Amino acid sequence: MKKIFISFSIVAFLFGCNSANNHPKPNTNKGLKDYYKNYFPIGVAVNEHNITGVQGKLILKEFNSVTPENAMKWAPIEPFQNVYFWKNADSIVAFAKRNHIRIRGHNLCWHQQTPPWLFVNKNGKTVSKDTLLQRLKSHVFTVVNRYKDAVYAWDVVNEAIDDDSTKFLRNSKWYQICGEDFIDSAFVWAHEADPKAQLFYNDYNVIRPQKRERVYKLLKGLLAKKIPVTGIGIQAHWSVYEPTQDELETAIKEFASLGLKVQFTEVDISIFPWEKNQRAKKPNENDTYTDALKAKQAAEYKMVFSVFRKYKKYINSVTFWNLSDKDTWLDHYPVEGRKNYPLLFDTALQRKPVYWDVVKW
Ligand code: XIL
């Protein structure tokens, strides 16, 4: 009897069957990056704590690219004018270099996470366009130059298109002070600082037709002006309700038709519908990760990765936004304290069943 059990175990091990799960697990030593080695690098957004201990090990097992989640944004990295705080970004860069994985830089110009000094002079008055562009130039040259040998791609401008479909560019401080020129300048200076770096325009809801068309118009315009743009960064903060396969394929084909590379830069699939504005948790708001939601999420993940594989010739990176459900930005945004489960690893850092929907085809 014992003998039979042992041989069954050996056979089960060799063929990777696991009766507790419908999915075969042929080789658990393989990570996401290995399953996708003939497709594209698979990345993850990290902070300076994720790169140590068990999380650091998990990153190296599963991923071959990292994006600093916050460490390279303007306020964290240049909190005071010309005073740079490099420590966190440097530690992520050192981790990636040591382990020979890629680094995406995120980001050079955005309307959020800006330091208080950026748009005003010493008297608190709004600065002139010239002054603001000089600040942008100095920031872009300093940051890009420091990470020239490490960062292969930058999100140069982040989220410049308005949410309102009747408007074009977002009415940010950047736009109010500089008009459209800040976008052109950011790309031109990033390119001058590192001619080898791939440069991306990065935004959310890009798959939604009303936003997609305006992002397309922006990029087409930049290319017509010979602004050095490599591609579109599609953030991919999606949910169990969107996008559809058709919407996703249409967007990829449309951006590829401009000759642009496509990167999915911030993938997560929320169990809640997308919302923009921060709000309090409602008293009876339910954040249970039900079987029905798990099934919907699995179907969505399966679909989007099958589309990514189908269009691999246009896609040169897919990055998840955070490592595991233990700690995701969606636990705080847009509803503080509402638990979310958007990733492939659970709160104990283990592969979720949905992981197998992404790697088996
Ligand atoms: C988020 C981070 O994940 C949070 O930690 C931070 O508090 C706010 O920013 N789009 C982007 C990312 O381009 O930079 C944002 O990251 C998520 C939305």
Side-chain angles (χ1 to χ4, degrees), residues 43-46 63 66-70 73 104-107 110 113 155 158 202 235-237 264-269 301 318-325 327-330 342-343:
V44 57
V46 297
F63 302 92
V66 288
T67 304
E69 180 183 5
N70 288 297
K73 292 173 181 172
R104 298 191 79 256
H106 177 83
N107 58 56
W110 189 24
Q113 291 182 262
D155 290 326
N158 203 29
N202 193 52
Q235 287 188 4
H237 292 297
F264 291 89
T265 54
E266 306 185 15
V267 177
D268 46 25
I269 296 189
Y301 259 120
V318 173
T319 294
F320 287 85
W321 204 249
N322 297 130
L323 182 58
S324 77
D325 292 351
D327 187 13
T328 145
W329 75 299
L330 295 175
L343 298 162

Coordinates of all heavy atoms in Angstrom, one line a residue, residues 43-46 63 66-70 73 104-107 110 113 155 158 202 235-237 264-269 301 318-325 327-330 342-343:
G43 N 6.8 42.8 -15.3 CA 7.3 43.7 -14.2 C 6.3 43.8 -13.1 O 5.2 43.4 -13.1
V44 N 6.9 44.5 -12.1 CA 6.0 44.8 -10.9 C 6.5 46.2 -10.3 O 7.6 46.5 -10.3 CB 6.2 43.6 -9.9 CG1 7.6 43.4 -9.4 CG2 5.3 43.9 -8.6
A45 N 5.5 46.9 -9.8 CA 5.8 48.2 -9.1 C 6.1 47.9 -7.7 O 5.4 47.1 -7.0 CB 4.5 49.1 -9.2
V46 N 7.2 48.5 -7.3 CA 7.7 48.2 -5.9 C 8.1 49.4 -5.1 O 8.4 50.5 -5.7 CB 9.0 47.3 -6.0 CG1 8.7 45.9 -6.6 CG2 10.2 48.0 -6.7
F63 N 9.4 37.9 -11.6 CA 9.4 39.1 -12.4 C 10.8 39.4 -13.0 O 11.8 39.0 -12.3 CB 8.9 40.3 -11.7 CG 7.5 40.2 -11.1 CD1 7.3 39.7 -9.8 CD2 6.4 40.5 -11.9 CE1 6.0 39.5 -9.3 CE2 5.1 40.3 -11.4 CZ 4.9 39.8 -10.1
V66 N 11.2 45.9 -12.8 CA 10.6 46.6 -11.7 C 10.3 48.1 -12.1 O 11.0 48.6 -12.9 CB 11.4 46.6 -10.4 CG1 11.4 45.3 -9.7 CG2 12.8 47.1 -10.6
T67 N 9.3 48.6 -11.5 CA 9.0 50.1 -11.6 C 8.9 50.6 -10.2 O 8.2 50.1 -9.4 CB 7.7 50.3 -12.3 OG1 7.6 49.7 -13.5 CG2 7.4 51.8 -12.4
P68 N 9.7 51.6 -9.8 CA 9.5 52.2 -8.5 C 8.1 52.8 -8.4 O 7.7 53.6 -9.2 CB 10.6 53.3 -8.4 CG 11.6 52.9 -9.5 CD 10.8 52.3 -10.6
E69 N 7.4 52.4 -7.4 CA 6.0 52.8 -7.3 C 5.8 54.3 -7.0 O 4.9 54.9 -7.6 CB 5.3 52.0 -6.2 CG 3.8 52.3 -6.0 CD 3.2 51.6 -4.9 OE1 3.9 50.8 -4.1 OE2 1.9 51.7 -4.7
N70 N 6.7 54.8 -6.2 CA 6.6 56.2 -5.8 C 8.0 56.9 -5.9 O 8.0 58.1 -6.0 CB 6.0 56.4 -4.4 CG 4.5 56.1 -4.4 OD1 3.7 56.8 -5.1 ND2 4.1 55.1 -3.7
K73 N 9.0 59.7 -8.3 CA 8.0 60.8 -8.6 C 8.6 62.1 -8.1 O 9.5 62.1 -7.2 CB 6.7 60.5 -8.0 CG 6.0 59.3 -8.7 CD 4.7 58.9 -7.9 CE 4.1 57.7 -8.6 NZ 2.9 57.2 -7.8
R104 N 11.9 50.3 -15.2 CA 11.1 51.4 -15.9 C 11.1 52.6 -14.9 O 10.9 52.4 -13.7 CB 9.6 51.0 -16.1 CG 9.4 49.8 -17.0 CD 7.9 49.7 -17.3 NE 7.5 50.6 -18.4 CZ 6.9 51.8 -18.2 NH1 6.5 52.2 -17.0 NH2 6.7 52.6 -19.3
G105 N 11.4 53.7 -15.5 CA 11.3 54.9 -14.6 C 9.9 55.5 -14.7 O 9.3 55.6 -15.7
H106 N 9.5 55.9 -13.5 CA 8.1 56.4 -13.3 C 8.1 57.5 -12.3 O 8.4 57.2 -11.2 CB 7.2 55.3 -12.9 CG 5.7 55.7 -12.7 ND1 4.8 55.8 -13.7 CD2 5.1 56.0 -11.6 CE1 3.7 56.2 -13.2 NE2 3.8 56.3 -11.9
N107 N 7.8 58.7 -12.6 CA 7.6 59.4 -13.9 C 8.2 60.7 -13.9 O 8.6 61.2 -12.8 CB 6.1 59.4 -14.2 CG 5.3 60.2 -13.2 OD1 5.6 61.4 -12.9 ND2 4.3 59.6 -12.6
W110 N 4.0 65.0 -14.0 CA 2.7 64.6 -13.6 C 2.0 65.7 -12.8 O 2.8 66.5 -12.2 CB 2.8 63.3 -12.8 CG 1.5 62.6 -12.5 CD1 0.3 62.6 -13.2 CD2 1.3 61.7 -11.4 NE1 -0.6 61.8 -12.6 CE2 0.0 61.2 -11.5 CE3 2.1 61.2 -10.3 CZ2 -0.5 60.3 -10.5 CZ3 1.6 60.3 -9.4 CH2 0.3 59.8 -9.5
Q113 N 1.4 64.3 -6.9 CA 2.7 64.1 -6.1 C 3.8 65.0 -6.6 O 4.9 64.7 -6.8 CB 3.1 62.6 -6.3 CG 2.1 61.7 -5.5 CD 2.5 60.2 -5.5 OE1 2.0 59.4 -6.3 NE2 3.4 59.8 -4.7
D155 N 8.3 56.7 -18.1 CA 7.0 57.4 -18.3 C 7.4 58.9 -18.2 O 7.7 59.4 -17.2 CB 6.1 57.0 -17.2 CG 5.7 55.5 -17.3 OD1 5.5 55.0 -18.5 OD2 5.4 54.9 -16.3
N158 N 2.7 61.8 -17.6 CA 1.7 61.0 -17.0 C 0.3 61.7 -16.9 O 0.2 62.8 -16.4 CB 2.1 60.6 -15.6 CG 1.5 59.3 -15.0 OD1 1.2 58.4 -15.8 ND2 1.4 59.2 -13.7
N202 N 2.0 58.0 -20.6 CA 1.3 57.0 -19.8 C 0.0 57.5 -19.3 O -0.1 58.7 -18.8 CB 2.3 56.7 -18.6 CG 1.9 55.5 -17.8 OD1 1.7 54.4 -18.3 ND2 1.8 55.6 -16.5
Q235 N -2.0 52.2 -18.6 CA -1.9 51.9 -17.2 C -2.5 50.5 -16.8 O -2.0 49.8 -16.0 CB -2.4 53.0 -16.3 CG -1.5 54.2 -16.3 CD -2.0 55.3 -15.3 OE1 -2.9 55.1 -14.5 NE2 -1.3 56.4 -15.3
A236 N -3.7 50.3 -17.3 CA -4.4 49.0 -17.1 C -4.9 48.8 -15.6 O -4.8 47.8 -15.0 CB -3.6 47.8 -17.5
H237 N -5.4 49.9 -15.0 CA -6.1 49.8 -13.7 C -7.5 49.4 -14.1 O -8.4 50.2 -14.3 CB -6.1 51.1 -12.9 CG -4.7 51.4 -12.5 ND1 -4.0 50.6 -11.6 CD2 -3.9 52.4 -12.7 CE1 -2.8 51.1 -11.3 NE2 -2.7 52.2 -12.0
F264 N 1.9 47.8 -21.1 CA 0.9 47.8 -20.1 C 1.6 48.0 -18.8 O 2.4 47.2 -18.3 CB 0.1 46.5 -20.1 CG -0.8 46.5 -21.4 CD1 -0.3 45.9 -22.5 CD2 -2.0 47.1 -21.4 CE1 -1.0 45.9 -23.7 CE2 -2.8 47.1 -22.6 CZ -2.3 46.5 -23.7
T265 N 1.5 49.2 -18.2 CA 2.4 49.7 -17.2 C 1.9 49.5 -15.8 O 2.8 49.6 -14.9 CB 2.7 51.2 -17.4 OG1 1.4 51.9 -17.5 CG2 3.5 51.4 -18.7
E266 N 0.6 49.4 -15.5 CA 0.1 49.3 -14.2 C -1.0 48.4 -14.0 O -2.1 48.8 -13.6 CB -0.3 50.8 -13.7 CG 0.8 51.8 -13.9 CD 0.5 53.2 -13.4 OE1 -0.4 53.4 -12.7 OE2 1.3 54.1 -13.8
V267 N -0.8 47.1 -14.3 CA -1.9 46.2 -14.4 C -2.4 45.8 -13.0 O -1.6 45.4 -12.1 CB -1.5 44.9 -15.1 CG1 -2.6 43.9 -15.1 CG2 -1.1 45.2 -16.6
D268 N -3.7 46.0 -12.8 CA -4.4 45.3 -11.7 C -5.9 45.2 -12.0 O -6.4 46.0 -12.8 CB -4.2 46.0 -10.3 CG -4.4 47.5 -10.3 OD1 -5.1 48.1 -11.2 OD2 -3.8 48.2 -9.4
I269 N -6.5 44.2 -11.5 CA -7.9 43.9 -11.9 C -8.7 44.0 -10.6 O -8.8 43.0 -9.8 CB -8.1 42.7 -12.7 CG1 -7.3 42.8 -14.0 CG2 -9.6 42.4 -12.9 CD1 -7.6 41.8 -15.1
Y301 N -8.7 38.2 -16.3 CA -7.2 38.0 -16.4 C -6.9 37.1 -17.6 O -5.9 37.3 -18.3 CB -6.6 37.5 -15.1 CG -6.0 38.5 -14.2 CD1 -6.4 38.7 -12.9 CD2 -4.9 39.2 -14.7 CE1 -5.8 39.7 -12.1 CE2 -4.3 40.2 -13.9 CZ -4.7 40.4 -12.6 OH -4.1 41.4 -11.8
V318 N 4.8 44.2 -19.8 CA 3.6 44.2 -19.0 C 4.0 44.2 -17.5 O 4.8 43.4 -17.1 CB 2.8 42.9 -19.3 CG1 1.6 42.8 -18.3 CG2 2.3 42.8 -20.7
T319 N 3.5 45.2 -16.8 CA 3.9 45.4 -15.4 C 2.7 45.5 -14.5 O 1.7 46.2 -14.8 CB 4.7 46.8 -15.3 OG1 5.9 46.7 -16.0 CG2 5.0 47.1 -13.8
F320 N 2.8 44.7 -13.4 CA 1.7 44.7 -12.4 C 1.9 45.9 -11.4 O 3.1 46.2 -11.1 CB 1.7 43.4 -11.6 CG 1.1 42.3 -12.4 CD1 2.0 41.5 -13.3 CD2 -0.2 41.9 -12.3 CE1 1.5 40.5 -14.0 CE2 -0.7 40.9 -13.1 CZ 0.1 40.2 -13.9
W321 N 0.8 46.5 -11.0 CA 1.0 47.6 -10.0 C 0.8 47.0 -8.6 O -0.3 46.9 -8.1 CB 0.0 48.7 -10.3 CG 0.5 50.0 -9.8 CD1 0.0 50.7 -8.8 CD2 1.6 50.8 -10.3 NE1 0.7 51.9 -8.6 CE2 1.7 51.9 -9.5 CE3 2.5 50.6 -11.3 CZ2 2.7 52.9 -9.7 CZ3 3.5 51.5 -11.5 CH2 3.6 52.7 -10.7
N322 N 1.9 46.7 -8.0 CA 2.1 46.1 -6.7 C 2.3 44.6 -6.8 O 1.9 44.0 -7.8 CB 1.0 46.4 -5.7 CG 0.8 47.9 -5.3 OD1 -0.3 48.4 -5.4 ND2 1.9 48.5 -5.0
L323 N 2.8 44.0 -5.7 CA 3.2 42.6 -5.7 C 2.1 41.7 -5.4 O 1.9 40.7 -6.0 CB 4.4 42.5 -4.8 CG 5.1 41.1 -4.6 CD1 5.6 40.6 -6.0 CD2 6.2 41.2 -3.6
S324 N 1.4 42.0 -4.3 CA 0.4 41.0 -3.8 C -0.8 41.7 -3.1 O -0.7 42.9 -2.8 CB 1.0 40.1 -2.8 OG 1.2 40.8 -1.6
D325 N -1.8 40.9 -2.9 CA -3.0 41.4 -2.2 C -2.8 41.8 -0.8 O -3.6 42.4 -0.1 CB -4.2 40.4 -2.3 CG -4.7 40.2 -3.7 OD1 -4.3 41.0 -4.6 OD2 -5.5 39.3 -3.9
D327 N -0.8 44.0 0.2 CA -0.6 45.4 0.3 C -0.7 46.1 -1.1 O 0.3 46.0 -1.9 CB 0.8 45.6 0.9 CG 1.1 47.1 1.2 OD1 0.2 47.9 1.2 OD2 2.3 47.4 1.4
T328 N -1.9 46.5 -1.4 CA -2.0 47.1 -2.7 C -2.6 48.6 -2.6 O -3.3 48.8 -1.6 CB -3.0 46.3 -3.7 OG1 -3.8 47.2 -4.5 CG2 -3.9 45.4 -2.9
W329 N -2.2 49.4 -3.5 CA -2.7 50.8 -3.4 C -4.2 50.9 -3.4 O -4.8 51.8 -2.8 CB -2.0 51.7 -4.5 CG -2.7 51.5 -5.8 CD1 -2.7 50.4 -6.6 CD2 -3.3 52.5 -6.6 NE1 -3.3 50.6 -7.8 CE2 -3.8 51.9 -7.8 CE3 -3.6 53.9 -6.4 CZ2 -4.5 52.6 -8.8 CZ3 -4.3 54.5 -7.4 CH2 -4.7 53.9 -8.6
L330 N -4.9 49.9 -4.0 CA -6.3 49.9 -4.0 C -7.0 49.6 -2.7 O -8.2 49.6 -2.6 CB -6.8 48.8 -5.1 CG -6.4 49.2 -6.6 CD1 -6.7 48.1 -7.5 CD2 -7.0 50.5 -7.0
P342 N -6.7 42.6 -6.2 CA -6.5 42.8 -7.6 C -5.4 42.0 -8.3 O -5.3 42.1 -9.5 CB -6.3 44.3 -7.7 CG -5.5 44.6 -6.5 CD -6.0 43.7 -5.4
L343 N -4.6 41.3 -7.5 CA -3.3 40.8 -8.1 C -3.3 39.3 -8.2 O -4.2 38.6 -7.9 CB -2.1 41.4 -7.2 CG -2.1 42.9 -7.3 CD1 -1.2 43.5 -6.1 CD2 -1.5 43.4 -8.6

